[in-house]
Amino acid sequence: SQTIHQWPATLVQPVGSPLSLECTVEGTSNPNLYWYRQAAGRGLQLLFYSVGIGQISSEVPQNLSASRPQDRQFILSSKKLLLSDSGFYLCAWNTGVAGGPEQYFGPGTRLTVT
Amino acid sequence: GENVEQHPSTLSVQEGDSAVIKCTYSDSASNYFPWYKQELGKGPQLIIDIRSNVGEKKDQRIAVTLNKTAKHFSLHITETQPEDSAVYFCAASRDSGYSTLTFGKGTMLLVSP
């Protein structure tokens, strides 16, 4: 069966510091991968998605970037964090070309920028 | 692009009552409609979905209905239990692995014992 991991689970970082969040998926090949942010409200904002290694689509211009160095690894980064980057970051996957649009989420990373 | 509206934002019910959450969407090309349950501090969990070729789908105490003409779909939970308390999200997309989901803003369901 497929499993999605995110780490760290929680992170407290000062303003201006760098960020690296990691997401990995097990048990599948060539997945589509997604990064979402959930701010203090409840909405899910799509930040980036990737349909393959090195292929990144950005949905919202911002202080963040994403990379996909391996088939099942998706990384969210920032060079300098802002207070507004605080939130709950969720990674998700689906089977991409081989399957349908069903997305499955990871456990999330709670980021607090102080 | 697609826009999904979800109501109500908060819903309080007594244990054993039914709960209904409603969503509307704007893109007539959307044909896949999932529902997610998110418990506090956890990632959303896909609980049920429906495609446009059916009008209703059931799974034990939960059901989803779809009205493509009116562009709205609903989640029905019967015989609610305290463990149903969570935030529920609806979403819409085209039925393709390349599609991205557009989410509603969520409904916080509180089930009191």
Side-chain angles (χ1 to χ4, degrees), chain A residues 33-79:
Chain A
L33 297 172
Y34 305 82
W35 277 113
Y36 290 87
R37 177 169 58 201
Q38 195 170 30
R42 301 188 292 264
L44 291 161
Q45 180 187 34
L46 179 63
L47 301 175
F48 301 95
Y49 68 94
S50 172
V51 300
I53 295 174
Q55 300 180 63
I56 309 294
S57 295
S58 174
E59 289 292 299
V60 181
Q62 61 214 321
N63 186 41
L64 302 170
S65 62
S67 62
R68 185 169 176 176
Q70 300 180 41
D71 181 45
R72 290 170 289 176
Q73 184 185 33
F74 205 21
I75 296 172
L76 184 69
S77 303
S78 175
K79 292 182 179 178

Side-chain angles (χ1 to χ4, degrees), chain B residues 44-109:
Chain B
Q45 176 189 9
L46 178 63
I47 56 172
I48 194 168
D49 56 17
I50 191 168
R51 287 172 162 83
S52 60
N53 56 344
V54 296
E56 185 176 5
K57 183 177 179 180
K58 291 183 179 180
D59 182 4
Q60 298 182 10
R61 296 187 296 108
I62 61 173
V64 58
T65 58
L66 171 65
N67 183 326
K68 281 223 72 176
T69 302
K71 294 185 193 170
H72 66 71
F73 56 111
S74 301
L75 178 70
H76 305 253
I77 305 174
T78 59
E79 301 174 19
T80 54
Q81 302 168 3
E83 51 265 38
D84 294 329
S85 296
V87 178
Y88 291 80
F89 292 96
C90 64
S93 81
R94 301 188 185 188
D95 194 355
S96 164
Y98 283 120
S99 297
T100 59
L101 295 173
T102 301
F103 286 87
K105 293 188 182 301
T107 296
M108 180 176 291
L109 174 64

